[in-house]
Amino acid sequence: MPKTATAVRSAPEGLHLAADVLVLGGGPSAAWGAVAAAESGATVVLADKGYLGTSGATAPSNTGTWCVPPGDNRHTVVERRWQRTGELADQRWMLRCVDTAYRNLLKLSEWGYPFPSEDDERLYIANLRGPDYMRFMRRRVLLAGVTVLDHHPALELLSDGDAVVGAAGVGRQVEHDWRVDAKAVVLATGGCAFRERILGSAGLTGDGYLMAAEAGATLSGMEFTGKYTLAPHGSSLNKGLPFRWASFHREDGSAILGPTGEPLRNGIGDREEEVARALIEGPVYARLDQAEPALQGWLRQGQPNCFVPYDRAGIDPFSDLFRITLRAEGTVRGTGGIDIVSDDCATGVPGLYVAGDAASREIMTGAVSGGGAVNSSWALASGWWAGKGASTHARRRGGKAFRNEVRPLGQAGLRPAASPRADIAATEIIEAVRDEVTPLDKNFFRSGAGLEKSGERLESVWRDVRDHLQGEGLERIRTREAASIAAAGRWSVAAALHRSESRGMHRRTDLPGKKLSLAHRLVINGVDDFRIAGASERLAELAS
Amino acid sequence: MIEIVSATRCIECDICVKVCPANVFDATKDGAPVIARQEDCQTCFLCEIYCPTDALYVAEVAEGPTGISEAEVEARHLFGGYARALGWKRGKAGGSEFDPTHRIRVAQ
Ligand SMILES: Cc1cc2nc3c(=O)[nH]c(=O)nc-3n(C[C@H](O)[C@H](O)[C@H](O)COP(=O)(O)OP(=O)(O)OC[C@H]3O[C@@H](n4cnc5c(N)ncnc54)[C@H](O)[C@@H]3O)c2cc1C
Ligand code: SF4
Ligand code: SF4
């Protein structure tokens, strides 16, 4: 029998549990973290804002993994991928990641996850269909004896002065507060999608970044939020794959041309740039007319959600022109997040571990997007390491009681610095941030002058949040989300201004080209009064 | 966005209330769940596939409701369309073993 968490106190005052490890989140990295910690003998509570099985970016999608079998070829594959990362990734981490991710993919197949087969009957384990995968992972988490709290968003971390010793939040369906005392906490709260209407985005408001920064953790890669993905106009389907076989047209019917002057026939990867330029000028239409009939069938069957918008709108995307858009993806397909300081995914704050999109993926994918393969393998691997790391920390901490004084760390959106004001509302805050960090002409293509202006506006938004934004009861979820979005936007714009060059998805129109002096990561420390610094030394230390 | 909870199809199991990651539905005392926070819907279509009776309809527009009627969804056989495409049935998972995505990756 697996050990389970103990109840300290229960309703009506709220829910109060004690466990060795608390995992925050309900996506793949949280699920793998919870299973890894439970397998090492820890009692584990997993608290998710949504429902473990449907929430997060993976559940509604169909994720390709970075699946590199062991063998000599591995180093070559990693080296080749590293070439594309704008020199910011770390091959040692990339190798570790493919190794652990591969083992966990094999574990999935041993556990009976229904993978498809290739023509030679071998299982194809390099793709995980989101709804099936996450439903399967929920069962594994429950089988491991983890106490799962669905619809229990965390609002803040708890500290005893030395270490993070748990978290507190609110059960949004049961409408009571909760608190979990834990010897270690894994933040697996995903990225920040800045409230863009993309798949999985509802819960992805960057709460983990703010919670970690309040506890003293460092962020990195926050300037790399310039990734956008094509979607049918007005839809949530930010999946680029079908647009690999498309043509693109302006309102007047003229074709959008690629860099060589030929009509564009593939709109993904670097070619998003031509589409973005056209979209700034006016509406853009596409047709998936480069897909052969066999491929059309595979696309329909393999990526069924991509076709839901067309089918429901009565469009045949292979023969009809339809309007498209580029959806901003913040740090979800960007790379920024909480910086990792050691192999067990520790954050440098005792007791606090991080996994998946909540972590900076700069060590894995540098200045380019990890969407499409790297990110899901990273969730598989980092979740595992963080779960193990947290349970080891919990064991070391042993029976040591928490210091008497357990203090909640939440500030912005929970405990304003000045008097709360009713006219400062979460929705307006989020809109104001979106105005700076999602428009193509501000954030896909960036400029020093534009970033300065955005920075000033975000500073003023942040002052309102810090000083006056507050909610009561369930409203705290929204005020805290708004505070997290405002913090993430502000860090992102400041880091983008600091990086006075172009690299990967950070495109400065005023400063094209990379600078040798900036071939290092940028780390951010602090919430209200934060500092940005180069991380060259720490990177060397990590690599040694 | 989520637009329809069909009272004629719904068996009031409240699964959608539990599984919606955006907490869009509220259970009711004596009937089908209601769409209580439509604006929060992330248009992920997952409630549809978890519903054992294909009683839910999520329209393709993510920014706001289209106002489509239940009669039209029924007439165009759109209820349960996404579940059928995946191979899920009556709220149970299925079909991932037939996913041909590896062929797309090769073509890519
Ligand atoms: C449309 C789409 C397609 C993608 N396709 C691919 C692909 O093909 N290949 C690839 O490698 N990657 C892909 N990705 C990226 C991949 O899905 C993510 O990297 C992965 O889901 C990250 O896992 P995660 O567990 O860290 O975060 P998520 O899966 O995003 O989960 C985050 C979790 O944190 C929870 N949470 C948030 N705040 C709180 C809080 N305050 N308290 C408690 N819980 C909280 C959320 O509810 C959610 O459950 C895709 C992403 C999208 C959006
Ligand atoms: S899941 Fe379907 S049947 Fe169950 S309550 Fe919701 S709509 Fe009704
Ligand atoms: S589409 Fe997704 S977010 Fe919207 S109601 Fe259904 S499950 Fe909830």
Side-chain angles (χ1 to χ4, degrees):
Chain A
M1 259 309 273
K3 292 187 289 171
T4 51
T6 47
V8 179
R9 178 162 53 81
S10 67
E13 310 106 275
L15 178 70
H16 188 171
L17 299 175
D20 294 327
V21 173
L22 169 64
V23 178
L24 299 178
S29 62
W32 283 100
V35 169
E39 273 193 4
S40 345
T43 57
V44 184
V45 173
L46 179 151
D48 182 21
K49 188 191 284 188
Y51 173 85
L52 169 65
T54 60
S55 67
T58 291
S61 314
N62 192 354
T63 50
T65 64
W66 195 26
C67 180
V68 192
D72 299 342
N73 198 31
R74 231 185 216 172
H75 279 87
T76 323
V77 172
V78 164
E79 162 84 34
R80 229 184 294 135
R81 167 88 205 182
W82 181 83
Q83 302 289 352
R84 291 167 37 203
T85 65
E87 290 101 65
L88 295 185
D90 180 333
Q91 292 194 40
R92 192 181 70 85
W93 276 91
M94 296 170 81
L95 274 167
R96 288 186 77 208
C97 175
V98 290
D99 190 57
T100 301
Y102 191 79
R103 282 169 211 265
N104 282 349
L105 287 168
L106 293 182
K107 230 170 257 159
L108 270 175
S109 116
E110 279 160 29
W111 290 341
Y113 175 77
F115 281 110
S117 306
E118 297 189 78
D119 294 336
D120 58 7
E121 305 285 301
R122 273 186 317 167
L123 288 184
Y124 182 78
I125 61 168
N127 198 77
L128 291 161
R129 216 168 68 167
D132 307 73
Y133 168 38
M134 288 314 299
R135 186 174 187 155
F136 189 88
M137 286 310 293
R138 179 183 180 90
R139 195 159 339 124
R140 292 309 305 187
V141 169
L142 291 171
L143 271 175
V146 173
T147 302
V148 174
L149 304 174
D150 297 304
H151 298 290
H152 275 58
L155 294 172
E156 57 184 333
L157 295 172
L158 307 175
S159 165
D160 72 350
D162 293 333
V164 166
V165 294
V170 56
R172 64 184 180 185
Q173 295 194 333
V174 287
E175 296 189 30
H176 62 214
D177 284 9
W178 62 266
R179 166 177 164 176
V180 176
D181 295 331
K183 293 170 186 162
V185 174
V186 176
L187 278 171
T189 43
C192 181
F194 293 119
R195 261 292 127 78
E196 185 86 345
R197 293 188 178 272
I198 57 174
L199 290 175
S201 64
L204 304 181
T205 45
D207 305 358
Y209 304 155
L210 182 56
M211 287 192 269
E214 284 170 340
T218 298
L219 299 153
S220 91
M222 289 305 287
E223 66 275 37
F224 299 117
T225 52
K227 177 72 179 88
Y228 290 66
T229 291
L230 287 165
H233 187 256
S235 79
S236 60
L237 257 298
N238 59 320
K239 302 219 308 187
L241 192 55
F243 295 98
R244 162 69 184 77
W245 297 279
S247 64
F248 300 86
H249 311 264
R250 293 194 183 75
E251 188 96 84
D252 63 8
S254 63
I256 292 168
L257 307 179
T260 57
E262 290 284 297
L264 206 56
R265 305 207 183 286
N266 167 3
I268 65 177
D270 288 344
R271 300 286 67 79
E272 281 154 6
E273 220 167 295
E274 279 78 32
V275 183
R277 216 165 274 127
L279 273 166
I280 289 171
E281 287 163 15
V284 174
Y285 299 81
R287 182 164 48 210
L288 309 180
D289 49 14
Q290 305 300 306
E292 306 292 331
L295 182 61
Q296 293 181 14
W298 299 331
L299 280 169
R300 265 198 176 279
Q301 200 190 335
Q303 305 288 321
N305 62 350
C306 290
F307 293 87
V308 169
Y310 307 125
D311 292 345
R312 295 185 181 187
I315 292 166
D316 175 358
F318 300 111
S319 59
D320 302 339
L321 276 179
F322 56 91
R323 194 169 165 198
I324 56 163
T325 188
L326 275 169
R327 286 281 193 199
E329 299 177 311
T331 67
V332 175
R333 277 206 182 100
T335 60
I338 304 156
D339 205 33
I340 287 177
V341 303
S342 51
D343 284 4
D344 55 356
C345 290
T347 60
V349 176
L352 189 63
Y353 295 77
V354 65
D357 286 0
S360 169
R361 283 137 289 149
E362 229 178 351
I363 46 177
M364 280 301 300
T365 186
V368 302
S369 176
V374 173
N375 283 348
S376 64
S377 286
W378 171 249
L380 278 158
S382 63
W384 191 256
W385 297 325
K388 294 277 178 200
S391 70
T392 304
H393 180 88
R395 212 165 28 244
R396 281 212 203 98
R397 212 182 146 105
K400 192 173 126 196
F402 301 144
R403 287 228 240 124
N404 285 340
E405 197 77 8
V406 171
R407 203 165 48 90
L409 297 178
Q411 299 292 320
L414 283 177
R415 299 181 186 86
S419 50
R421 268 172 45 190
D423 61 320
I424 309 278
T427 26
E428 281 90 65
I429 296 287
I430 293 170
E431 273 317 306
V433 178
R434 284 181 53 73
D435 280 348
E436 307 308 323
V437 299
T438 62
L440 290 168
D441 56 356
K442 287 186 185 170
N443 188 53
F444 191 101
F445 298 110
R446 300 168 169 184
S447 71
L451 289 166
E452 300 250 11
K453 265 194 226 128
S454 290
E456 281 161 27
R457 289 192 197 113
L458 290 175
E459 240 8 87
S460 118
V461 170
W462 175 254
R463 276 196 298 274
D464 281 346
V465 170
R466 180 197 61 195
D467 294 343
H468 308 298
L469 180 66
Q470 194 192 30
E472 298 291 334
L474 292 184
E475 229 5 74
R476 284 171 299 166
I477 303 170
R478 305 207 185 240
T479 54
R480 196 60 171 155
E481 287 179 340
S484 302
I485 286 173
R490 182 167 165 260
W491 284 319
S492 177
V493 166
L497 198 52
H498 198 97
R499 190 172 279 290
S500 53
E501 61 161 359
S502 290
R503 194 181 288 269
M505 69 178 94
H506 171 63
R507 309 169 197 85
R508 288 278 298 257
T509 49
D510 53 339
L511 297 162
K514 288 185 281 198
K515 279 188 194 153
L516 198 58
S517 60
L518 280 165
H520 57 70
R521 303 180 305 121
L522 295 178
V523 294
I524 303 183
N525 218 293
V527 181
D528 184 40
D529 180 20
F530 63 85
R531 291 164 305 286
I532 304 182
S536 41
E537 288 146 56
R538 280 208 35 257
L539 191 64
E541 191 188 304
L542 279 174
S544 66
Chain B
M1 255 179 193
I2 177 74
E3 298 215 26
I4 293 164
V5 182
S6 162
T8 49
R9 287 169 167 262
C10 176
I11 53 165
E12 298 164 22
C13 67
D14 290 347
I15 288 174
C16 53
V17 180
K18 197 174 73 170
V19 303
C20 168
N23 196 32
V24 160
F25 304 98
D26 274 345
T28 62
K29 277 214 180 64
D30 46 12
V34 291
I35 301 168
R37 287 163 294 274
Q38 188 176 36
E39 171 61 21
D40 291 349
C41 173
Q42 61 172 6
T43 316
C44 64
F45 308 103
L46 292 174
C47 51
E48 282 193 19
I49 66 175
Y50 273 83
C51 173
T53 60
D54 296 336
L56 295 164
Y57 183 72
V58 179
E60 71 281 8
V61 178
E63 315 285 352
T66 61
I68 190 167
S69 70
E70 183 171 343
E72 181 181 343
V73 175
E74 201 67 77
R76 290 176 58 205
H77 304 289
L78 293 173
F79 278 118
Y82 181 42
R84 282 193 296 277
L86 282 169
W88 284 44
K89 277 194 199 86
R90 288 182 286 281
K92 297 272 188 291
S96 66
E97 62 273 41
F98 304 115
D99 182 350
T101 296
H102 54 283
R103 297 185 194 281
I104 309 175
R105 306 264 180 224
V106 173
Q108 199 182 356

